[in-house]
Amino acid sequence: RASAMETFIRRVYRTYSVPKLNVETLDGRLSCSFEFEFADVPKADRVTRNGFFSVIEDAGKFAQELPVILNAYGSKLSGDASKDGPINVLQIGAISGDSDIADLENALAANQAKLNMLGIRTVTVLITKGSKDPTYYTFPQCDGFKEDPLRRGMRPTFHHLLELGRLGENYNLERIPAVGRNVQIYVGTEKTAKRNAAQVVFVRGVTHTPGLVTFSGARRALLQGLDELERAQSNSKVTLQSSSRIYLHSLPELTGATPEEIANNFYDVVDKLKSRLAQRLLKLRVDEIEAKVRVTSTDEDGNPMVVPVRLVASSMEGEWLKSAAYIERPDPVTGVTREFCVIGAGKDAVCMLDPYSTSNIIQTKRAIARRVGSTYAYDFLGLLEVGLIQEWENYLSDLAGAPGAPSIIPGGLFESQELLEGPDGNLVLGKREIGTNKVGMVAWLVKMKTPEYPEGREVVFIANDVTVQSGSFGVPEDELFFKASKYAREHKLPRVYIACNSGARIGLVDDLKPKFNIKFIDEASPSKGFEYLYLTDEVYKSLPEGSVNVRQVPEGWAITDIIGTDEGIGVENLQGSGKIAGETSRAYDEIFTLSYVTGRSVGIGAYLVRLGQRIIQMKQGPMLLTGYGALNKLLGREVYTSQDQLGGPQVMFPNGCTHEVVDDDQQGVSSILRWLSFVPKTTESPPAVRQCADPVNRDVEWRPTPTPYDPRLMLSGTADAAGFFDKGSWKEYLSGWGKSTVIGRGRLGGIPMGAIAVETRLVERIVPADPADP
């Protein structure tokens, strides 16, 4: 039993330095007194803390045993134990029996003066449950030795290892069940007076196995975290707009590597993880991944110590899962990190202390975009980079072993510059802080190094920002779209439009609503209608000149036109809609245009993607001219029940508007990149040719059969027989429309080609029923 107790203490305090430990029997109770220090603090700054663990036979006798245990603990301490504040710990284990939490709290309250005199910071009570895991109850001094429900079931140091104190500063936490023994899951709600406070799901865990900094180890740990998160998402307490953050603390100490080397390796690992797990990360709304590792080192005096290194991939500043690495500097008394210093900056390193902050403007915008089933516009840049890494990995895998084939992904793979309106109204290339745009349209000039163009190619991306006035089109949005599209035409570059909007903006002069009066035909019977709306003479004179057009009536001034004082809330928006529709038609004639519909695309937004001709549509991205609610009002009854019945993929794919349907935004971005791989870098450039491992002079091995066959196999081939095009290069489009014809693109010797084939088999066509046409 003495050996078991020592093993327990050393394992629980494995991240600490334990210079002294003594197991003995005191007054018939097996007890352990020990000293411990934080190992990640220089030796000269360490504060020695004391711990005492005593075992009692029956938990029901806790109140009687506690004073005796405290006296025994006091005999092991010298001097004033409370001079440095509450830094010591007390643990009491019960072999049998049970006790109510209230009884434990009452016993501790009766001895609170003695506990404070001994400088006790936390009291942990462990009650065994036979062959089951023991139950832990923790009573912190800061709460008056009341039980902390969040720590229930946790080993004494688990709360510190999971850094739950940082979470509690800005969030009200509620723990929900987790499967893993070393994992805790919390639903955090912001401490704010606002309605609909933001919610975050925190997955926190520790691991006792090394290898977290390697790709295989990091992938295994992240998958476990994502599995826990996926189960947590099904909990009724988790909302559909919640953000998710994963934290993993690796306890084994790493040797033979410096923090700088670990950081550089982490950047490569994160890129690979994002490329392979992007769809799950998006689906589970993961906005931050943290890993804390412990690196052996020495302090300034040459004494051994541990350097805590925090590796972070975060979307909190706008860029999707941007990597960063920090060295931590913890408090020698509490062990809580006082500041995080950026690795690699030397003495000039930027250091910060940032407990888990509440949602900033970027997080709020991200939640708005998720609410409509899309992704925040600026996050598409991160998805494009991930998709590009995936494209290169597949390309290098296909070329493995081929003579002269590249072996690594080139550096500087993805660069973007935002197209901003300058003082003179012309577009200039630049950057601005993410989330500061006031216009619901953004555009970028993106330079990508693709397998076809390893030196780089440029593409213009235009996207609705659905977080600004629901992504509606006003005059400023129309102007930016027009200028960005014109920029693409003038430079002969491909133009990609990411559509998530609510159509043209028709606003209201809200400050006028309470000021007008109604002239009814019959005051006693308003249902007979009204003659006009009017303003009293006093109100009319108080309005800005030109805000309304009026005519004089006996009651004052009858309103004939409401103009307002703000630009961009009336029919001028429709003029802009016509302007960008014409620009899109011209762009289709002159350059390559492609549109991706995510979330929704309404009114002029739907016209733009159709005028651009080539459309990729997400399953949750309907294209429609007006909402189903307005149509139901027009029809006078509830005919339609969703937007998908009007313009969902089940309508637009069979009727030939949509070329391809994807499940989510990461798949949509991958489809955009694959389509671009068949397109020259400019309209004047030769075809986009990529190196191919499939010999161009090989035979076409697939042969038609006497019985009806799938003509696609002649183009793509099978696993056993190669087809006409390079292996793996065939991509079919418009497969839902015109089923007797097969069209698509492929490569022959690396050269992109289009193909048309005839379907000779019987085909089935499904025409979706229109609920309005019984």
Side-chain angles (χ1 to χ4, degrees):
R1 291 178 62 182
S3 298
M5 176 175 280
E6 180 176 354
T7 301
F8 173 80
I9 293 295
R10 293 196 181 278
R11 183 167 180 82
V12 169
Y13 288 87
R14 65 179 297 178
T15 60
Y16 297 77
S17 171
V18 183
K20 181 180 178 182
L21 186 148
N22 182 41
V23 179
E24 58 187 327
T25 301
L26 297 174
D27 299 325
R29 289 179 300 275
L30 185 66
S31 303
C32 176
S33 58
F34 57 97
E35 295 178 356
F36 63 100
E37 302 166 339
F38 287 104
D40 46 11
V41 175
K43 190 172 182 61
D45 298 332
R46 292 180 185 176
V47 174
T48 301
R49 304 172 65 181
N50 292 280
F52 191 75
F53 185 9
S54 184
V55 178
I56 62 177
E57 291 294 330
D58 187 357
K61 296 181 179 180
F62 179 83
Q64 295 119 344
E65 299 276 9
L66 180 59
V68 183
I69 293 174
L70 293 178
N71 289 332
Y73 189 7
S75 67
K76 297 294 181 182
L77 302 177
S78 60
D80 185 2
S82 61
K83 66 177 181 179
D84 294 323
I87 61 174
N88 302 322
V89 297
L90 172 63
Q91 296 155 28
I92 300 175
I95 298 176
S96 62
D98 203 352
S99 180
D100 294 332
I101 295 175
D103 294 336
L104 299 176
E105 289 178 342
N106 291 335
L108 292 170
N111 293 272
Q112 188 166 349
K114 182 73 171 178
L115 291 167
N116 290 330
M117 186 180 70
L118 295 175
I120 293 178
R121 189 179 188 86
T122 58
V123 177
T124 302
V125 178
L126 181 159
I127 301 176
T128 60
K129 300 292 183 181
S131 59
K132 297 181 180 179
D133 290 340
T135 301
Y136 293 87
Y137 301 104
T138 302
F139 305 85
Q141 184 269 348
C142 58
D143 294 337
F145 294 105
K146 299 290 184 182
E147 197 248 348
D148 184 356
L150 287 179
R151 304 195 199 190
R152 189 175 301 166
M154 290 187 189
R155 296 181 291 278
T157 58
F158 211 51
H159 180 271
H160 172 71
L161 295 176
L162 296 183
E163 299 186 354
L164 297 183
R166 293 180 66 207
L167 303 188
E169 293 187 31
N170 293 323
Y171 291 91
N172 295 313
L173 300 176
E174 182 176 1
R175 188 168 155 190
I176 60 176
V179 174
R181 295 180 61 182
N182 292 322
V183 176
Q184 304 285 351
I185 303 177
Y186 298 89
V187 177
T189 305
E190 282 187 13
K191 294 179 178 179
T192 176
K194 300 179 189 175
R195 294 180 57 195
N196 300 321
Q199 185 187 86
V200 180
V201 179
F202 294 99
V203 177
R204 323 283 289 182
V206 299
T207 177
H208 297 275
T209 57
L212 188 63
V213 294
T214 64
F215 172 72
S216 58
R219 184 177 185 273
R220 182 172 59 253
L222 181 56
L223 285 174
Q224 291 173 351
L226 293 177
D227 291 341
E228 291 283 1
L229 185 56
E230 193 155 16
R231 285 186 285 266
Q233 298 283 6
S234 62
N235 193 297
S236 60
K237 296 175 183 177
V238 179
T239 65
L240 294 177
Q241 289 79 43
S242 64
S243 171
S244 304
R245 304 183 193 178
I246 298 174
Y247 169 82
L248 189 62
H249 190 160
S250 178
L251 303 186
E253 297 170 3
L254 302 179
T255 59
T258 64
E260 290 76 14
E261 292 170 342
I262 291 173
N264 291 331
N265 182 63
F266 171 72
Y267 301 146
D268 295 334
V269 168
V270 167
D271 285 342
K272 293 179 181 178
L273 289 175
K274 287 196 297 186
S275 67
R276 287 165 170 77
L277 301 174
Q279 287 180 291
R280 286 195 76 188
L281 293 170
L282 282 173
K283 176 185 175 183
L284 298 175
R285 306 182 291 278
V286 176
D287 288 332
E288 192 166 71
I289 302 169
E290 285 184 284
K292 183 175 180 178
V293 297
R294 300 159 50 79
V295 183
T296 57
S297 182
T298 56
D299 60 19
E300 294 179 353
D301 299 326
N303 298 308
M305 68 170 289
V306 173
V307 176
V309 176
R310 186 174 298 264
L311 309 170
V312 181
S314 176
S315 306
M316 305 304 290
E317 299 302 320
E319 188 175 335
W320 190 62
L321 294 181
K322 181 181 180 181
S323 304
Y326 306 90
I327 289 178
E328 299 184 10
R329 295 178 181 169
D331 185 281
V333 177
T334 64
V336 176
T337 302
R338 291 187 298 194
E339 53 188 10
F340 303 88
C341 301
V342 178
I343 289 179
K347 293 184 178 180
D348 298 327
V350 177
C351 297
M352 64 199 80
L353 175 57
D354 184 21
Y356 285 92
S357 58
T358 55
S359 60
N360 53 24
I361 184 63
I362 297 171
Q363 287 299 99
T364 303
K365 287 175 173 288
R366 199 171 272 130
I368 293 172
R370 287 168 177 162
R371 197 173 299 130
V372 299
S374 183
T375 299
Y376 182 41
Y378 283 90
D379 284 346
F380 274 101
L381 296 176
L383 300 187
L384 283 166
E385 185 173 7
V386 168
L388 197 56
I389 294 172
Q390 288 177 333
E391 187 78 8
W392 269 99
E393 288 179 343
N394 295 335
Y395 173 65
L396 296 179
S397 176
D398 292 340
L399 284 184
S407 58
I408 59 172
I409 299 176
L413 196 63
F414 182 89
E415 298 176 6
S416 65
Q417 290 181 288
E418 193 165 354
L419 291 167
L420 305 171
E421 286 191 289
D424 58 356
N426 296 322
L427 292 185
V428 294
L429 295 173
K431 288 185 179 293
R432 62 179 164 188
E433 190 174 343
I434 295 175
T436 59
N437 57 302
K438 305 299 181 183
V439 177
M441 188 75 68
V442 289
W444 303 275
L445 177 65
V446 171
K447 182 176 181 181
M448 304 181 291
K449 293 182 180 179
T450 66
E452 303 80 35
Y453 297 105
E455 74 282 3
R457 68 175 301 171
E458 292 182 335
V459 181
V460 173
F461 282 85
I462 307 173
N464 294 110
D465 185 351
V466 75
T467 69
V468 179
Q469 300 192 62
S470 299
S472 57
F473 289 82
V475 173
E477 287 78 12
D478 296 334
E479 284 298 315
L480 183 60
F481 184 100
F482 176 82
K483 292 173 182 177
S485 180
K486 183 179 178 182
Y487 180 94
R489 283 194 297 105
E490 290 176 345
H491 293 80
K492 304 183 186 304
L493 300 174
R495 193 206 79 178
V496 179
Y497 170 43
I498 300 174
C500 183
N501 55 76
S502 55
R505 185 184 309 146
I506 301 296
L508 298 172
V509 184
D510 291 316
D511 56 352
L512 190 62
K513 287 182 183 179
K515 297 181 179 180
F516 63 74
N517 301 289
I518 304 173
K519 172 61 175 176
F520 290 103
I521 295 173
D522 184 354
E523 293 285 349
S525 181
S527 61
K528 293 181 179 179
F530 66 95
E531 295 184 32
Y532 47 78
L533 305 178
Y534 69 91
L535 302 169
T536 64
D537 187 65
E538 180 183 359
V539 171
Y540 173 62
K541 291 180 179 178
S542 68
L543 296 176
E545 185 177 356
S547 60
V548 292
N549 290 338
V550 296
R551 58 184 174 85
Q552 195 163 14
V553 294
E555 294 82 6
W557 303 91
I559 300 173
T560 57
D561 303 288
I562 299 176
I563 299 169
T565 57
D566 296 328
E567 179 70 16
I569 63 170
V571 293
E572 61 268 22
N573 292 333
L574 301 181
Q575 179 185 9
S577 297
K579 181 178 181 179
I580 59 178
E583 166 59 31
T584 300
S585 294
R586 185 174 180 182
Y588 173 72
D589 288 338
E590 297 181 13
I591 58 175
F592 173 81
T593 58
L594 175 63
S595 301
Y596 171 54
V597 179
T598 168
R600 62 172 184 246
S601 194
V602 182
I604 181 59
Y607 277 119
L608 291 177
V609 297
R610 185 67 183 111
L611 290 170
Q613 299 294 330
R614 306 172 190 89
I615 301 172
I616 301 170
Q617 186 177 11
M618 192 177 74
K619 283 186 176 178
Q620 296 179 352
M623 292 183 287
L624 54 145
L625 298 183
T626 191
Y628 74 93
L631 289 179
N632 287 340
K633 289 180 181 179
L634 180 66
L635 295 170
R637 55 195 176 95
E638 296 295 320
V639 176
Y640 297 101
T641 58
S642 75
Q643 313 287 27
D644 287 335
Q645 290 178 303
L646 299 173
Q650 67 268 36
V651 175
M652 293 301 176
F653 194 46
N655 70 13
C657 286
T658 296
H659 289 64
E660 184 180 3
V661 177
V662 295
D663 293 326
D664 53 52
D665 286 331
Q666 183 60 58
Q667 189 177 341
V669 165
S670 297
S671 295
I672 291 172
L673 293 173
R674 184 162 188 186
W675 204 323
L676 286 171
S677 70
F678 294 106
V679 179
K681 63 191 307 183
T682 68
T683 55
E684 297 176 346
S685 302
V689 180
R690 68 160 64 180
Q691 187 176 349
C692 179
D694 197 359
V696 70
N697 57 353
R698 65 158 172 82
D699 293 333
V700 177
E701 299 170 349
W702 190 87
R703 293 289 182 268
T705 60
T707 56
Y709 58 89
D710 187 348
R712 298 166 185 81
L713 299 179
M714 177 176 62
L715 302 169
S716 65
T718 64
D720 302 324
F724 182 76
F725 287 122
D726 297 340
K727 184 178 179 180
S729 69
W730 166 253
K731 174 67 176 176
E732 183 180 1
Y733 293 97
L734 286 171
S735 60
W737 183 61
K739 289 182 176 289
S740 61
T741 304
V742 176
I743 69 165
R745 294 171 177 82
R747 290 187 181 84
L748 187 60
I751 301 173
M753 300 182 68
I756 303 174
V758 177
E759 175 64 84
T760 58
R761 300 173 298 174
L762 290 175
V763 297
E764 180 185 62
R765 182 181 177 220
I766 299 175
V767 180
D770 185 351
D773 186 14

